[in-house]
Amino acid sequence: MAEKVRLGIIGVGAEGGMYAQFIDDGRVPNMEIAGICDVDESKKTLADKYGVPFYTDYKEMVDSGEVDAVVTTVPHYLHPEMGIYALDHGVHALLEKPLGVYTKQAREVIDFAQTKPDLVFGVFFNQRTNQLYKDIKAILDSGELGALRHTSWLITNWWRPQGYYNQSEWRATWGGEGGGVLVNQAPHQLDLWQWICGIPKSVFAKCQYGFKRDIAVEDEVNALVDFGNGATGTFITCTHDMFGTDRLEILCDKGRILVEDSHKLTITRLAEPEQKWSKSLGMEEVGKLFKGELDVSEVQTVEERDYGSVWGEQHCDVMKNFADAVLNGAELLAPGSDGINGVRLANAIHLSSWTGKEVDMVNFDEEAYLAELNKRIEQEGKFDTRS
């Protein structure tokens, strides 16, 4: 039995280079670098640094027999085709987020992976390893706070100057990247939100395209989702706010969860469901409660936790978990099949914004979305990745 998974890294920009360094530093003890692939031949210096073969064609690396698994850190449109090729040739696949640009594309790789049950197929949702969000999910799953009423995530700390978008011709284009903040900066939050609160039934959204940046895609998003049973949620994000806010609230029948700046957690628990307090408290008691004259400990308790910064460790944990799944059959924290949820929500937000209508996510019209996306790719005239 092998002790380490031999990983081939496809694309060694910022992400791929970071993963290589983490592995070389020994932070992923059950994985080793076995090959590096990039269309930029100058990246061979990195392969030489780590003493591994260098490839300019990912298919050649997959076919080499030198790698057990690959990770794809490449433009979004390429993730599914690379994943399918790897799996089709007996190589495990860890795809970066988003799993694809559109659901039809994401579904193709998911469906193909199901024909290869002996191979591990994961998606790089490193935020799922964050103990903060794992704890929140456990609390919601336990039912101790009761049913979901409302949740909102305001995350606007993605500030990107114009120079960021000018770095590459493909960036912030429909044909090259497939969208803006929803497919580049916010996929982790879209995944976490649904992982914790459930998959919405429908969405109505308003997006601004090239609002404060000279780009074709969205740089501001306001979305209202319906989780069913009366529960709703709002998701707001942008890339033009230099001050930025990161605040997640989850309101339930018996309490509230508040997360600030992705590390400060406040859990307020009610002794009884809110509706019971609504019926049982007399107006005199309510008045005292509002004035601070009532002992609120009889009504609620407050717990605060600070998880600190865990940047970097999350990425290592995803790779360790993936390697453990390959070597020992461990359960994936982020199976590839989960990757379609965030893609669907991003697609539905776009489609709602384009049509001005609420979009059904249970019976999501993949063809309608793809038709609208292809219109924008054709109008743009820079890239053509349509299928």
Side-chain angles (χ1 to χ4, degrees):
M1 177 70 71
E3 295 182 358
K4 293 187 177 184
V5 170
R6 302 174 301 165
L7 182 72
I9 302 174
I10 306 176
V12 282
E15 290 291 310
M18 179 176 68
Y19 300 161
Q21 190 63 56
F22 286 157
I23 295 170
D24 189 61
D25 288 343
R27 295 178 65 178
V28 189
N30 53 359
M31 186 175 278
E32 63 184 11
I33 307 170
I36 284 177
C37 176
D38 200 288
V39 293
D40 182 354
E41 294 188 8
S42 69
K43 298 296 177 67
K44 184 179 183 298
T45 57
L46 196 61
D48 293 340
K49 172 185 174 181
Y50 296 124
V52 299
F54 177 75
Y55 307 87
T56 55
D57 184 341
Y58 78 91
K59 293 181 180 179
E60 184 182 349
M61 183 168 70
V62 168
D63 295 341
S64 69
E66 297 296 321
V67 300
D68 304 312
V70 294
V71 62
T72 63
T73 56
V74 294
H76 308 145
Y77 279 102
L78 300 176
H79 295 164
E81 71 174 63
M82 290 182 172
I84 289 173
Y85 189 87
L87 293 168
D88 194 32
H89 291 77
V91 173
H92 307 280
L94 176 58
L95 305 189
E96 257 294 353
K97 52 78 185 170
L99 190 64
V101 171
Y102 47 91
T103 54
K104 186 177 180 180
Q105 184 189 42
R107 193 179 303 284
E108 288 175 357
V109 65
I110 290 171
D111 289 347
F112 188 82
Q114 290 177 345
T115 70
K116 305 291 181 179
D118 295 334
L119 295 175
V120 177
F121 168 48
V123 60
F124 217 119
F125 283 141
N126 53 277
Q127 286 287 343
R128 286 195 184 189
T129 72
N130 188 330
Q131 193 60 49
L132 165 65
Y133 297 113
K134 289 168 69 175
D135 287 350
I136 294 172
K137 179 172 173 57
I139 291 170
L140 268 291
D141 288 350
S142 74
E144 67 170 282
L145 295 185
L148 176 70
R149 292 188 172 190
H150 178 80
T151 174
S152 62
W153 203 332
L154 172 63
I155 181 158
T156 58
N157 56 352
W158 303 119
W159 187 72
R160 298 292 188 273
Q162 186 62 44
Y164 166 82
Y165 296 107
N166 295 343
Q167 290 179 100
S168 303
E169 187 182 7
W170 60 268
R171 194 179 293 279
T173 61
W174 293 113
E177 198 162 20
V181 63
L182 288 173
V183 300
N184 196 325
Q185 285 78 34
H188 286 299
Q189 284 66 40
L190 294 180
D191 172 66
L192 287 172
W193 205 37
Q194 297 175 98
W195 187 52
I196 293 168
C197 298
I199 299 173
K201 308 296 183 186
S202 65
V203 61
F204 181 80
K206 175 71 174 179
C207 299
Q208 301 289 358
Y209 300 93
F211 177 46
K212 295 297 180 181
R213 296 292 181 267
D214 183 18
I215 57 177
V217 295
E218 79 283 355
D219 55 346
E220 178 163 311
V221 173
N222 287 263
L224 171 64
V225 305
D226 182 351
F227 289 100
N229 298 318
T232 58
T234 54
F235 188 83
I236 299 174
T237 190
C238 73
T239 58
H240 57 73
D241 183 349
M242 287 189 72
F243 307 101
T245 299
D246 179 4
R247 181 183 178 93
L248 168 64
E249 291 192 36
I250 304 172
L251 179 66
C252 299
D253 284 345
K254 289 187 64 178
R256 184 188 72 164
I257 290 174
L258 170 64
V259 183
E260 296 174 287
D261 301 322
S262 292
H263 69 88
K264 292 181 289 186
L265 172 64
T266 303
I267 309 168
T268 305
R269 296 178 172 89
L270 290 173
E272 300 288 348
E274 179 274 335
Q275 284 176 301
K276 185 171 182 179
W277 289 113
S278 173
K279 293 176 182 178
S280 64
L281 285 178
M283 289 310 296
E284 183 178 349
E285 291 175 296
V286 172
K288 290 181 178 180
L289 180 63
F290 288 164
K291 294 176 183 178
E293 297 172 357
L294 191 69
D295 183 3
V296 294
S297 65
E298 298 178 7
V299 178
Q300 66 185 37
T301 59
V302 179
E303 177 185 359
E304 296 181 345
R305 307 177 192 173
D306 196 321
Y307 288 75
S309 175
V310 289
W311 186 89
E313 194 58 41
Q314 301 168 2
H315 303 83
C316 296
D317 286 345
V318 166
M319 290 189 284
K320 284 187 283 189
N321 172 250
F322 181 80
D324 194 20
V326 172
L327 297 172
N328 307 307
E331 182 180 354
L332 280 177
L333 187 60
S337 56
D338 283 6
I340 197 169
N341 297 330
V343 176
R344 185 192 299 111
L345 181 52
N347 287 179
I349 289 172
H350 279 148
L351 187 58
S352 176
S353 176
W354 293 336
T355 63
K357 299 177 181 178
E358 184 172 7
V359 171
D360 182 351
M361 289 183 57
V362 177
N363 301 294
F364 180 64
D365 192 338
E366 296 180 344
E367 295 298 336
Y369 174 78
L370 191 53
E372 290 293 333
L373 174 64
N374 284 339
K375 286 181 188 177
R376 285 155 179 79
I377 293 173
E378 186 173 5
Q379 291 168 358
E380 201 170 50
K382 289 185 178 181
F383 301 88
D384 194 341
T385 48
R386 291 174 288 168
S387 64

